[in-house]
Amino acid sequence: MGKAWTFGENMNTDEIIPGRYNITIDPLELAKNVFCEVKPEYAKNVKPGDVIVGGQNFGCGSSREHAPIAIKGSQAKCIIAPSFARIFFRNCINIGLPILECPDAVADITEGDEVDVDLATGQIFNRTNGHQYQANALPDFVLKIAEAGGIVNFLKTHDIQELMS
Amino acid sequence: MGTLIEEIFGRRAGRPVQAGEILLLDVDYIMSHDNTTPLAIKAFRDIGKPIHDKNRIVLHLDHAYPAPNVLAAENHKKIIEFVKEQDLPHFFHQGVCHQVMLEEGFITPGAIVIGADSHSNTYGAMGAFGAGLGSTEIGVAWVTGKCWFKVPETIRIELKGKAQPGVYAKDVMIYIAGMMGMDGGTYRSVEFGGEYIDNLPMHERIIFPNMSTEIGAKCGLIAADDVTIDYLENQTPAKGPFEKIQPVNPRYERVIEIDVATLAPQVACHPDVDNAKPLTEVEGLEVHEVYIGTCTNARYEDLEIVANMLKGKKVNPHTRVIVTPASNRIYKKALNNGLIEILMDAGCTVTGSGCGACIGRHGGILAAGERALTTMNRNFIGRMGSPLSEVYLASPATAAATALTGRITDPRKSLELIS
């Protein structure tokens, strides 16, 4: 269970982690400045297991992987949004940061709500108001990457062709 | 049989493909730069397998080059050591990666090129598939030579008519961004065509795929034609023959028609690219910096427009006017043809080629409370420096007119097209 942190629509990668902080690839260092422009209190107060609830087109802008790494480094459990920008979506899958597409949850969850997420089933439970939501299913090959903990881990033990089989 | 992206992917797959399918395809080139290569190296090391084909890897130093601080220098050093260690043949530090990719002939019709930079969509100008990806996936492609793609649905943007004098491709694209919104093309291939595109020279065409990223597109494509082939044969070392791949009986998700003759110069106002307005709505707004550069608009022809407008004049003395040619090749041509002298005489600062200012690293950083008008493609909060600064996007002609006055100015006035 974790606390929900809500963000607006079109949250771009510059707002997640500005370019001037991309001089490191260390997740914990990046996490110190995550969302520093739009919600500076996040980096100070986030707890492991908290959940990010974003608006549509979450992660638009740059291809910089620093953005999802900074979020993962902050120990957030997952990101829930109605839709994700495509490079950001791939980046999250590849580095093993869980993402859930769930417009219903985003419309209903408010900042500070206590939220349970079952990553295996995509079920999201809002303990604060008792509501339950179901995230969209991910394609099978994406689940293979996610189950391995990211594409790097997948490739350590599999050939890339196995993604499609 | 299909849209341009279905034709391109189908050739590589060796069979007809349709939107919605997921494919694992060989890629021709895998691009990354100093901002994104370190994470790709980390992924590569973690996978622990050898490089699949060195000839497909292209590395650039451009995002913080020359190094503005010790951390950037250490980053460059690490990349150069990797290039030496792996004996990689394609390594460049001579300008903005996308411009160099085009100049060096890596991008040909039907090519499939991925880059660890969101503006890799630029390559669509040559009838190639170009898309941005994160660094980990670049490291994966170094090892496998492959990448997975979902064949996207296509939005066709049919551009009709002829633009009025003083209205450029940048104005048209800013208008499109405003109309479609920042997620108007998400997960989609956006095909740009029509008589306006057919009659457009390559340096203007490039803007559409380049800024298709700003509407969330997976790729932005323009089918190869005689203009493409002429560019490849005369301005790059690329070896033909080149195939002019065209959409064949395409099924589009949506077709948007725009008559460009109806458009006036546009400005994308702070803080989002889709906050597009006709220039007249923001005319007179004071700016503290005019920045002409980046992968969008710093080609030779762009510098020529600016030089023609500034020739024999002086820019506003209280406005920093910075010109960053997109590549060393462009810089050299502008120098040899006298453009650089004109720009300097007018009071511009001309810097070495690179991306530093566009991501707020160096070469044109903004202070709190400052406003810039630039030829860039992105104006997010804090993009060029202080989060309390503002970035406005426009064409090179608008940038030149604004440089003279220090206020957002209609280029048609400088061009004496309107009184």
Side-chain angles (χ1 to χ4, degrees), chain B residues 208-231:
Chain B
F208 293 100
N210 174 272
M211 287 189 69
S212 70
T213 306
E214 263 48 65
I215 54 173
K218 185 188 189 92
C219 58
L221 301 177
I222 294 175
D225 62 6
D226 289 342
V227 173
T228 324
I229 307 303
D230 179 71
Y231 176 87

Side-chain angles (χ1 to χ4, degrees), chain A residues 65 84 90-91 94 155-156, chain B residues 49 134-137 148 187:
Chain A
E65 215 164 280
F84 292 88
R90 293 180 79 119
N91 282 345
N94 285 326
L155 286 174
K156 282 179 184 170
Chain B
K49 294 179 181 174
S135 298
T136 294
E137 225 159 348
W148 67 264
Y187 306 137

Side-chain angles (χ1 to χ4, degrees), chain B residues 101-166:
Chain B
M101 292 297 283
L102 294 171
E103 285 176 358
E104 294 294 325
F106 289 108
I107 314 300
T108 54
I112 294 177
V113 181
I114 57 174
D117 186 283
S118 61
H119 292 108
S120 305
N121 287 22
T122 304
Y123 312 146
M126 310 301 293
F129 172 82
L133 298 170
S135 298
T136 294
E137 225 159 348
I138 293 303
V140 167
W142 287 352
V143 169
T144 63
K146 295 179 191 298
C147 190
W148 67 264
F149 302 102
K150 184 171 183 182
V151 184
E153 294 282 354
T154 293
I155 298 172
R156 170 86 177 181
I157 299 189
E158 191 75 20
L159 297 167
K160 302 190 297 186
K162 192 178 171 200
Q164 295 171 26

